[in-house]
Amino acid sequence: GNRRERILATMKRIQDYERGLVTRLINGLQRIKGLRIYGITDPARFDQRVPTVAFRIEGFSPRRIAESLGEHGIFVWDGNYYALAVTQRLDVEDKGGMVRVGLVHYNTIEEVDRLLEELRALTNS
């Protein structure tokens, strides 16, 4: 095909790959006791979301989760990510916000599994 078609095909492959990563992440997060995901979790609607997931775990501040993961070489964000109105509306602003995991095409399934493993170890799930 022409250049435009090749670019579109490549973007579709990237989107499919990232959808696989976020599917694995969300499936794993849903198995962790006390964890709440904010956003779309229905696989039938994953075409309506990006591979970025925000969550909280009961009994753990987002900062504690982020620091614990960081000690194991896994880097996530905690807080409100400059989305103050969103965190206020979700009633998490005064509770430290949320943990945010952003996956992209250069992440691997192994990295997702490692993240889930560390979260399970942290929460004893």
Side-chain angles (χ1 to χ4, degrees), residues 61-96:
S61 72
R63 173 65 47 97
R64 179 170 176 218
I65 295 166
E67 287 175 349
S68 177
L69 292 171
E71 290 168 4
H72 297 280
I74 300 170
F75 303 103
V76 298
W77 298 268
D78 69 284
N80 64 24
Y81 342 112
Y82 304 101
L84 183 60
V86 173
T87 56
Q88 287 175 332
R89 184 168 182 154
L90 294 172
D91 194 30
V92 297
E93 179 59 31
D94 63 342
K95 300 171 187 158

Side-chain angles (χ1 to χ4, degrees), residues 29-36 56-60 123 125:
L29 291 175
Q30 289 175 323
R31 292 183 176 95
I32 296 174
K33 184 179 177 186
L35 190 144
R36 177 178 177 194
R56 292 183 52 85
I57 301 175
E58 186 179 325
F60 296 88
T123 61
S125 293

Side-chain angles (χ1 to χ4, degrees), residues 6-108:
R6 290 191 314 270
I7 290 171
L8 290 174
T10 299
M11 293 302 296
K12 174 74 170 115
R13 284 193 297 274
I14 290 171
Q15 182 182 43
D16 291 345
Y17 180 76
E18 289 176 350
R19 187 164 299 136
L21 292 175
V22 79
T23 298
R24 190 169 189 110
L25 176 63
I26 289 174
N27 286 340
L29 291 175
Q30 289 175 323
R31 292 183 176 95
I32 296 174
K33 184 179 177 186
L35 190 144
R36 177 178 177 194
I37 299 169
Y38 293 84
I40 296 169
T41 59
D42 177 3
R45 295 183 53 213
F46 281 0
D47 63 331
Q48 298 173 15
R49 69 164 302 134
V50 296
T52 300
V53 179
F55 65 89
R56 292 183 52 85
I57 301 175
E58 186 179 325
F60 296 88
S61 72
R63 173 65 47 97
R64 179 170 176 218
I65 295 166
E67 287 175 349
S68 177
L69 292 171
E71 290 168 4
H72 297 280
I74 300 170
F75 303 103
V76 298
W77 298 268
D78 69 284
N80 64 24
Y81 342 112
Y82 304 101
L84 183 60
V86 173
T87 56
Q88 287 175 332
R89 184 168 182 154
L90 294 172
D91 194 30
V92 297
E93 179 59 31
D94 63 342
K95 300 171 187 158
M98 299 172 282
V99 176
R100 181 177 131 185
V101 177
L103 301 171
V104 292
H105 58 280
Y106 52 77
N107 289 117
T108 66

